């Protein structure tokens, strides 16, 4: 795929787009805002503040705002843009926001450690084919998945969703995950580290996959969203159990709007491309070329349980998590 803007701008956009992988958990929020009037279906709150990253994954919330889907549910949702999800945790703890967008691995870890009594308000994004990629430079000796053994690959955060999904895909391709060396590399340093030989292969997401292919001739070695990790759930909209208990009707309205946005986005890339420049550094031309993740128009505890089960297998959790018990009932059709 070809880019309509210089690769450098795309790379900057990617650095922001995958900021979701750095997120972790928080606890309760109870920010006082407008109570719902009788004409709003008895909603406990009509004005919500939700922490969001400038990430493709969180596009459903911005589409719901742009298409007035929250408004139809009687809600006014104000995004609070943060550069990393850890910034949002104290905001949620202090009641400055009502919910946040984050990745499930970090949230399940926080729940397991007792730092957060978690409530999943709505699923957000799932990995789509070619939205993530393990890539090698044109002159690299790495030609196949097996060649990755003994090699160094970047991740944004150690022991997070990137590593979790790739481990399963490596096993399926007869590669020993224990022979992969992972190093944490900040987004802005991925390209320099790769070009200097500090990485043998790069773990990239969109729009950086497109940028590396177009501008560097990089080759795809393995898709971390393939095989057992197909449609791997990455991130969602998270609140606390206490907040949910106080605002169940508001939570249901919030979920419906997000699901309706995702349904709209399934067959209409333009509604996504139109909003991305509003909260990311991805321009509309680039948005038209990259591979989007899947946006969830319904919530599925079976596919999400896979994340918790793999974490337990990896010993990233101290005990089993029944994901269904953490999920809000789906109220949309």
């Amino acid at each position: 795929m070809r880019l309509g803007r210089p690769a450098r701008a795309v790379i900057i956009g990617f650095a922001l787009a995958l900021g979701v992988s750095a997120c972790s958990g928080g606890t309760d929020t109870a920010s006082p805002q407008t109570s719902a009037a009788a004409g709003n279906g008895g909603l406990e709150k009509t004005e919500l503040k939700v922490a969001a990253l400038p990430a493709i994954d969180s596009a459903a919330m911005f589409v719901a705002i742009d298409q007035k889907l929250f408004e139809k549910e009687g809600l006014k949702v104000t995004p609070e843009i943060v550069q990393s999800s850890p910034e949002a945790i104290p905001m949620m703890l202090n009641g400055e926001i009502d919910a946040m967008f984050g990745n499930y691995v970090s949230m399940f870890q926080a729940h397991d450690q007792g730092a957060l009594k978690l409530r999943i308000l709505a699923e957000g994004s799932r990995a789509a084919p070619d939205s993530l990629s393990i890539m090698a430079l044109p002159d690299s000796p790495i030609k196949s998945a097996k060649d990755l053994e003994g090699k160094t690959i970047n991740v944004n955060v150690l022991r997070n969703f990137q590593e979790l999904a790739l481990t399963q895909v490596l096993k399926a391709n007869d590669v020993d995950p224990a022979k992969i060396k992972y190093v944490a590399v900040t987004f802005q340093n991925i390209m320099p580290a790769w070009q200097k030989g500090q990485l043998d292969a790069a773990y990239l997401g969109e729009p950086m996959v497109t940028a590396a292919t177009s501008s560097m001739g990089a080759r795809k070695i393995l898709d971390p969203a393939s095989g057992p990790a197909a449609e791997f759930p990455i991130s969602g909209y998270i609140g606390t159990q206490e907040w949910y208990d106080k605002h169940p009707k508001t939570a249901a309205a919030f979920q419906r709007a997000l699901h309706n946005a995702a349904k709209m986005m399934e067959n209409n890339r333009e509604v996504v491309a139109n909003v991305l420049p509003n909260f990311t550094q991805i321009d509309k031309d680039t948005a038209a070329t990259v591979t989007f993740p899947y946006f969830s128009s319904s919530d599925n505890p079976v596919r999400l349980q896979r994340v918790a089960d793999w974490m337990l297998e990896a010993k990233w959790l101290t005990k089993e998590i029944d994901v269904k018990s953490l999920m809000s009932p789906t109220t949309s059709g």
Side-chain angles (χ1 to χ4, degrees):
M1 290 178 286
R2 300 185 183 210
L3 296 177
R5 292 284 187 265
R8 186 171 184 272
V10 176
I11 290 167
I12 293 172
F14 170 77
L16 295 174
L18 281 194
V20 66
S21 63
C23 59
S24 57
T27 56
D28 181 59
T29 175
S31 62
Q33 292 186 11
T34 306
S35 298
N40 287 314
L43 300 183
E44 299 87 5
K45 292 183 73 171
T46 58
E47 297 185 20
L48 302 181
K49 291 183 179 180
V50 181
L53 293 154
I56 295 175
D57 301 68
S58 59
M61 182 166 69
F62 294 88
V63 169
I65 293 170
D66 186 62
Q67 297 295 317
K68 303 188 184 305
L69 300 178
F70 286 127
E71 187 175 315
K72 290 177 182 177
E73 294 289 345
L75 293 173
K76 178 183 178 183
V77 174
T78 302
E80 296 285 332
I81 303 298
V82 295
Q83 294 305 311
S84 65
S85 289
E87 292 179 41
I89 297 169
M91 296 167 65
M92 194 156 67
L93 286 168
N94 296 333
E96 297 173 44
I97 58 174
D98 297 279
M100 62 184 290
F101 185 81
N103 84 69
Y104 299 117
V105 172
S106 293
M107 296 301 174
F108 289 162
Q109 288 172 334
H111 182 83
D112 180 66
Q113 295 163 6
L116 168 67
K117 192 170 183 182
L118 175 65
R119 189 72 179 195
I120 300 168
L121 302 177
E123 287 195 55
S125 65
R126 312 186 311 280
D130 300 320
S131 62
L132 301 170
S133 187
I134 305 300
M135 306 194 79
L137 292 171
D139 58 352
S140 170
I142 299 173
K143 306 296 182 183
S144 68
K146 194 68 175 175
D147 294 336
L148 293 170
E149 289 187 346
K151 301 300 191 294
T152 299
I153 300 175
N154 64 288
V155 290
N156 183 37
V157 179
L158 294 174
R159 292 167 60 111
N160 213 281
F161 83 88
Q162 291 174 296
E163 187 176 339
L164 188 70
L166 182 57
T167 292
Q168 300 299 324
V169 177
L170 290 170
K171 289 179 182 178
N173 284 270
D174 194 32
V175 179
D176 184 355
K179 293 183 179 179
I180 305 296
K181 181 182 178 181
Y182 293 103
V183 293
V185 181
T186 57
F187 293 117
Q188 64 268 30
N189 289 325
I190 293 174
M191 300 302 289
W194 193 18
Q195 292 173 316
K196 290 176 183 177
Q198 296 168 0
L199 302 173
D200 297 306
Y203 197 147
L204 306 179
E206 285 287 26
M208 205 174 202
V209 172
T210 298
T213 302
S214 176
S215 65
M216 301 167 60
R219 296 177 287 108
K220 178 180 177 179
I221 302 300
L222 192 61
D223 185 344
S226 63
E231 295 197 36
F232 182 74
I234 297 174
S235 54
Y237 299 88
I238 310 298
T240 66
Q241 184 62 47
E242 185 175 351
W243 185 92
Y244 176 83
D245 288 342
K246 292 177 181 177
H247 310 97
K249 292 181 180 179
T250 299
F254 180 70
Q255 180 197 74
R256 282 193 299 271
L258 290 169
H259 285 175
N260 288 334
K263 289 174 186 175
M264 182 180 294
M265 296 156 71
E266 286 172 359
N267 300 307
N268 190 343
R269 285 182 58 93
E270 188 174 357
V271 297
V272 184
N274 285 341
V275 300
L276 288 181
N278 297 336
F279 66 101
T280 75
Q281 292 187 30
I282 301 172
D283 60 68
K284 192 172 179 179
D285 288 344
T286 300
T289 67
V290 300
T291 300
F292 293 155
Y294 292 127
F295 299 102
S296 297
S297 58
S298 64
D299 297 337
N300 187 325
V302 175
R303 68 183 173 216
L304 196 46
Q305 184 66 48
R306 182 172 39 159
V307 179
D309 290 347
W310 287 352
M311 291 177 68
L312 186 66
E313 178 185 321
K315 303 187 186 309
W316 294 1
L317 297 176
T318 62
K319 55 188 176 298
E320 292 183 2
I321 290 180
D322 178 10
V323 172
K324 186 175 182 179
S325 69
L326 304 179
M327 299 181 72
S328 302
T330 294
T331 59
S332 52

